[in-house]
PDB file of all heavy atoms in Angstrom:
ATOM      1  N   TRP B 149      -6.740  57.974 -41.083  1.00 98.00           N
ATOM      2  CA  TRP B 149      -5.666  58.918 -41.306  1.00 98.00           C
ATOM      3  C   TRP B 149      -5.695  59.726 -42.598  1.00 98.00           C
ATOM      4  O   TRP B 149      -4.924  60.657 -42.777  1.00 98.00           O
ATOM      5  CB  TRP B 149      -4.324  58.353 -41.154  1.00 98.00           C
ATOM      6  CG  TRP B 149      -4.038  57.735 -39.813  1.00 98.00           C
ATOM      7  CD1 TRP B 149      -4.897  57.679 -38.742  1.00 98.00           C
ATOM      8  CD2 TRP B 149      -2.878  57.061 -39.374  1.00 98.00           C
ATOM      9  NE1 TRP B 149      -4.294  57.005 -37.682  1.00 98.00           N
ATOM     10  CE2 TRP B 149      -3.059  56.613 -38.036  1.00 98.00           C
ATOM     11  CE3 TRP B 149      -1.639  56.813 -39.997  1.00 98.00           C
ATOM     12  CZ2 TRP B 149      -2.079  55.945 -37.304  1.00 98.00           C
ATOM     13  CZ3 TRP B 149      -0.687  56.146 -39.254  1.00 98.00           C
ATOM     14  CH2 TRP B 149      -0.873  55.732 -37.910  1.00 98.00           C
ATOM     15  N   ASP B 150      -6.614  59.401 -43.561  1.00 98.00           N
ATOM     16  CA  ASP B 150      -6.559  60.123 -44.845  1.00 98.00           C
ATOM     17  C   ASP B 150      -7.696  61.152 -44.906  1.00 98.00           C
ATOM     18  O   ASP B 150      -8.834  60.796 -45.305  1.00 98.00           O
ATOM     19  CB  ASP B 150      -6.648  59.148 -46.038  1.00 98.00           C
ATOM     20  CG  ASP B 150      -7.748  58.106 -45.914  1.00 98.00           C
ATOM     21  OD1 ASP B 150      -8.265  57.894 -44.784  1.00 98.00           O
ATOM     22  OD2 ASP B 150      -8.098  57.526 -46.927  1.00 98.00           O
ATOM     23  N   LEU B 151      -7.451  62.377 -44.515  1.00 98.00           N
ATOM     24  CA  LEU B 151      -8.386  63.450 -44.492  1.00 98.00           C
ATOM     25  C   LEU B 151      -8.508  64.105 -45.837  1.00 98.00           C
ATOM     26  O   LEU B 151      -7.461  64.347 -46.508  1.00 98.00           O
ATOM     27  CB  LEU B 151      -8.024  64.468 -43.406  1.00 98.00           C
ATOM     28  CG  LEU B 151      -8.970  65.545 -43.134  1.00 98.00           C
ATOM     29  CD1 LEU B 151     -10.234  65.036 -42.401  1.00 98.00           C
ATOM     30  CD2 LEU B 151      -8.315  66.650 -42.271  1.00 98.00           C
ATOM     31  N   PRO B 152      -9.709  64.464 -46.263  1.00 98.00           N
ATOM     32  CA  PRO B 152      -9.800  65.289 -47.488  1.00 98.00           C
ATOM     33  C   PRO B 152      -8.916  66.550 -47.379  1.00 98.00           C
ATOM     34  O   PRO B 152      -9.033  67.260 -46.350  1.00 98.00           O
ATOM     35  CB  PRO B 152     -11.297  65.646 -47.536  1.00 98.00           C
ATOM     36  CG  PRO B 152     -11.960  64.502 -46.862  1.00 98.00           C
ATOM     37  CD  PRO B 152     -11.062  64.115 -45.742  1.00 98.00           C
ATOM     38  N   GLN B 153      -8.153  66.809 -48.387  1.00 98.00           N
ATOM     39  CA  GLN B 153      -7.230  67.963 -48.344  1.00 98.00           C
ATOM     40  C   GLN B 153      -7.995  69.301 -48.183  1.00 98.00           C
ATOM     41  O   GLN B 153      -7.542  70.210 -47.530  1.00 98.00           O
ATOM     42  CB  GLN B 153      -6.360  68.012 -49.590  1.00 98.00           C
ATOM     43  CG  GLN B 153      -5.424  69.156 -49.735  1.00 98.00           C
ATOM     44  CD  GLN B 153      -4.377  69.177 -48.562  1.00 98.00           C
ATOM     45  OE1 GLN B 153      -4.057  68.147 -47.993  1.00 98.00           O
ATOM     46  NE2 GLN B 153      -3.894  70.382 -48.241  1.00 98.00           N
ATOM     47  N   THR B 154      -9.224  69.377 -48.771  1.00 98.00           N
ATOM     48  CA  THR B 154     -10.007  70.589 -48.615  1.00 98.00           C
ATOM     49  C   THR B 154     -10.306  70.875 -47.129  1.00 98.00           C
ATOM     50  O   THR B 154     -10.269  72.040 -46.736  1.00 98.00           O
ATOM     51  CB  THR B 154     -11.307  70.448 -49.347  1.00 98.00           C
ATOM     52  OG1 THR B 154     -11.991  69.212 -48.934  1.00 98.00           O
ATOM     53  CG2 THR B 154     -11.109  70.429 -50.874  1.00 98.00           C
ATOM     54  N   LEU B 155     -10.483  69.832 -46.344  1.00 98.00           N
ATOM     55  CA  LEU B 155     -10.781  69.995 -44.936  1.00 98.00           C
ATOM     56  C   LEU B 155      -9.474  70.262 -44.157  1.00 98.00           C
ATOM     57  O   LEU B 155      -9.491  71.010 -43.134  1.00 98.00           O
ATOM     58  CB  LEU B 155     -11.514  68.808 -44.349  1.00 98.00           C
ATOM     59  CG  LEU B 155     -12.851  68.520 -44.999  1.00 98.00           C
ATOM     60  CD1 LEU B 155     -13.566  67.345 -44.269  1.00 98.00           C
ATOM     61  CD2 LEU B 155     -13.786  69.748 -44.957  1.00 98.00           C
ATOM     62  N   GLU B 156      -8.378  69.697 -44.586  1.00 98.00           N
ATOM     63  CA  GLU B 156      -7.114  69.978 -43.966  1.00 98.00           C
ATOM     64  C   GLU B 156      -6.780  71.473 -44.095  1.00 98.00           C
ATOM     65  O   GLU B 156      -6.250  72.082 -43.176  1.00 98.00           O
ATOM     66  CB  GLU B 156      -5.992  69.143 -44.627  1.00 98.00           C
ATOM     67  CG  GLU B 156      -4.657  69.093 -43.847  1.00 98.00           C
ATOM     68  CD  GLU B 156      -4.806  68.291 -42.601  1.00 98.00           C
ATOM     69  OE1 GLU B 156      -4.712  67.012 -42.648  1.00 98.00           O
ATOM     70  OE2 GLU B 156      -4.955  68.884 -41.504  1.00 98.00           O
ATOM     71  N   GLU B 157      -7.150  72.067 -45.220  1.00 98.00           N
ATOM     72  CA  GLU B 157      -6.876  73.446 -45.458  1.00 98.00           C
ATOM     73  C   GLU B 157      -7.791  74.361 -44.607  1.00 98.00           C
ATOM     74  O   GLU B 157      -7.539  75.535 -44.481  1.00 98.00           O
ATOM     75  CB  GLU B 157      -7.019  73.800 -46.931  1.00 98.00           C
ATOM     76  CG  GLU B 157      -5.967  73.171 -47.790  1.00 98.00           C
ATOM     77  CD  GLU B 157      -6.182  73.199 -49.301  1.00 98.00           C
ATOM     78  OE1 GLU B 157      -7.227  73.801 -49.691  1.00 98.00           O
ATOM     79  OE2 GLU B 157      -5.408  72.671 -50.038  1.00 98.00           O
ATOM     80  N   GLU B 158      -8.814  73.822 -44.010  1.00 98.00           N
ATOM     81  CA  GLU B 158      -9.681  74.545 -43.104  1.00 98.00           C
ATOM     82  C   GLU B 158      -9.256  74.343 -41.669  1.00 98.00           C
ATOM     83  O   GLU B 158      -9.942  74.720 -40.723  1.00 98.00           O
ATOM     84  CB  GLU B 158     -11.154  74.151 -43.229  1.00 98.00           C
ATOM     85  CG  GLU B 158     -11.751  74.497 -44.584  1.00 98.00           C
ATOM     86  CD  GLU B 158     -13.253  74.120 -44.709  1.00 98.00           C
ATOM     87  OE1 GLU B 158     -13.866  73.977 -43.591  1.00 98.00           O
ATOM     88  OE2 GLU B 158     -13.731  73.941 -45.801  1.00 98.00           O
ATOM     89  N   GLY B 159      -8.057  73.748 -41.440  1.00 98.00           N
ATOM     90  CA  GLY B 159      -7.571  73.541 -40.138  1.00 98.00           C
ATOM     91  C   GLY B 159      -7.526  72.094 -39.690  1.00 98.00           C
ATOM     92  O   GLY B 159      -7.049  71.760 -38.593  1.00 98.00           O
ATOM     93  N   GLY B 160      -8.076  71.213 -40.564  1.00 98.00           N
ATOM     94  CA  GLY B 160      -8.092  69.799 -40.221  1.00 98.00           C
ATOM     95  C   GLY B 160      -8.748  69.538 -38.909  1.00 98.00           C
ATOM     96  O   GLY B 160      -9.776  70.165 -38.554  1.00 98.00           O
ATOM     97  N   TRP B 161      -8.200  68.589 -38.127  1.00 98.00           N
ATOM     98  CA  TRP B 161      -8.827  68.180 -36.920  1.00 98.00           C
ATOM     99  C   TRP B 161      -8.653  69.187 -35.742  1.00 98.00           C
ATOM    100  O   TRP B 161      -9.170  68.980 -34.662  1.00 98.00           O
ATOM    101  CB  TRP B 161      -8.324  66.776 -36.468  1.00 98.00           C
ATOM    102  CG  TRP B 161      -8.803  65.706 -37.350  1.00 98.00           C
ATOM    103  CD1 TRP B 161      -8.075  65.054 -38.327  1.00 98.00           C
ATOM    104  CD2 TRP B 161     -10.139  65.237 -37.467  1.00 98.00           C
ATOM    105  NE1 TRP B 161      -8.860  64.134 -38.989  1.00 98.00           N
ATOM    106  CE2 TRP B 161     -10.136  64.229 -38.494  1.00 98.00           C
ATOM    107  CE3 TRP B 161     -11.316  65.517 -36.750  1.00 98.00           C
ATOM    108  CZ2 TRP B 161     -11.282  63.540 -38.835  1.00 98.00           C
ATOM    109  CZ3 TRP B 161     -12.455  64.802 -37.162  1.00 98.00           C
ATOM    110  CH2 TRP B 161     -12.470  63.842 -38.145  1.00 98.00           C
ATOM    111  N   THR B 162      -8.007  70.301 -35.995  1.00 98.00           N
ATOM    112  CA  THR B 162      -7.993  71.374 -35.011  1.00 98.00           C
ATOM    113  C   THR B 162      -9.254  72.222 -35.104  1.00 98.00           C
ATOM    114  O   THR B 162      -9.556  73.004 -34.206  1.00 98.00           O
ATOM    115  CB  THR B 162      -6.775  72.332 -35.221  1.00 98.00           C
ATOM    116  OG1 THR B 162      -6.910  73.066 -36.435  1.00 98.00           O
ATOM    117  CG2 THR B 162      -5.487  71.536 -35.245  1.00 98.00           C
ATOM    118  N   ASN B 163     -10.003  72.039 -36.166  1.00 98.00           N
ATOM    119  CA  ASN B 163     -11.234  72.856 -36.463  1.00 98.00           C
ATOM    120  C   ASN B 163     -12.434  72.066 -35.938  1.00 98.00           C
ATOM    121  O   ASN B 163     -12.769  71.026 -36.496  1.00 98.00           O
ATOM    122  CB  ASN B 163     -11.319  73.097 -37.953  1.00 98.00           C
ATOM    123  CG  ASN B 163     -12.510  73.998 -38.301  1.00 98.00           C
ATOM    124  OD1 ASN B 163     -13.290  74.346 -37.427  1.00 98.00           O
ATOM    125  ND2 ASN B 163     -12.602  74.304 -39.595  1.00 98.00           N
ATOM    126  N   LEU B 164     -13.123  72.598 -34.975  1.00 98.00           N
ATOM    127  CA  LEU B 164     -14.304  71.930 -34.438  1.00 98.00           C
ATOM    128  C   LEU B 164     -15.428  71.748 -35.464  1.00 98.00           C
ATOM    129  O   LEU B 164     -16.350  70.908 -35.213  1.00 98.00           O
ATOM    130  CB  LEU B 164     -14.862  72.705 -33.218  1.00 98.00           C
ATOM    131  CG  LEU B 164     -14.092  72.468 -31.929  1.00 98.00           C
ATOM    132  CD1 LEU B 164     -14.550  73.464 -30.838  1.00 98.00           C
ATOM    133  CD2 LEU B 164     -14.315  71.039 -31.403  1.00 98.00           C
ATOM    134  N   ALA B 165     -15.375  72.483 -36.585  1.00 98.00           N
ATOM    135  CA  ALA B 165     -16.340  72.234 -37.612  1.00 98.00           C
ATOM    136  C   ALA B 165     -16.298  70.807 -38.182  1.00 98.00           C
ATOM    137  O   ALA B 165     -17.267  70.302 -38.698  1.00 98.00           O
ATOM    138  CB  ALA B 165     -16.151  73.244 -38.777  1.00 98.00           C
ATOM    139  N   LEU B 166     -15.125  70.136 -37.995  1.00 98.00           N
ATOM    140  CA  LEU B 166     -15.008  68.771 -38.490  1.00 98.00           C
ATOM    141  C   LEU B 166     -15.908  67.811 -37.696  1.00 98.00           C
ATOM    142  O   LEU B 166     -16.154  66.695 -38.213  1.00 98.00           O
ATOM    143  CB  LEU B 166     -13.556  68.312 -38.465  1.00 98.00           C
ATOM    144  CG  LEU B 166     -12.884  68.360 -39.851  1.00 98.00           C
ATOM    145  CD1 LEU B 166     -12.595  69.783 -40.242  1.00 98.00           C
ATOM    146  CD2 LEU B 166     -11.616  67.498 -39.905  1.00 98.00           C
ATOM    147  N   VAL B 167     -16.367  68.188 -36.523  1.00 98.00           N
ATOM    148  CA  VAL B 167     -17.299  67.345 -35.787  1.00 98.00           C
ATOM    149  C   VAL B 167     -18.535  67.113 -36.685  1.00 98.00           C
ATOM    150  O   VAL B 167     -19.023  65.979 -36.821  1.00 98.00           O
ATOM    151  CB  VAL B 167     -17.660  67.937 -34.457  1.00 98.00           C
ATOM    152  CG1 VAL B 167     -18.794  67.118 -33.760  1.00 98.00           C
ATOM    153  CG2 VAL B 167     -16.448  68.031 -33.507  1.00 98.00           C
ATOM    154  N   ASP B 168     -19.047  68.219 -37.211  1.00 98.00           N
ATOM    155  CA  ASP B 168     -20.273  68.081 -38.031  1.00 98.00           C
ATOM    156  C   ASP B 168     -19.949  67.474 -39.436  1.00 98.00           C
ATOM    157  O   ASP B 168     -20.749  66.673 -39.915  1.00 98.00           O
ATOM    158  CB  ASP B 168     -20.877  69.486 -38.253  1.00 98.00           C
ATOM    159  CG  ASP B 168     -21.515  70.008 -36.963  1.00 98.00           C
ATOM    160  OD1 ASP B 168     -21.865  69.149 -36.089  1.00 98.00           O
ATOM    161  OD2 ASP B 168     -21.636  71.237 -36.803  1.00 98.00           O
TER     162      ASP B 168
END
Side-chain angles (χ1 to χ4, degrees):
W149 300 1
D150 50 341
L151 187 68
Q153 179 60 27
T154 53
L155 300 185
E156 195 71 82
E157 290 168 4
E158 293 184 24
W161 291 107
T162 68
N163 182 357
L164 280 170
L166 259 72
V167 173
D168 290 335

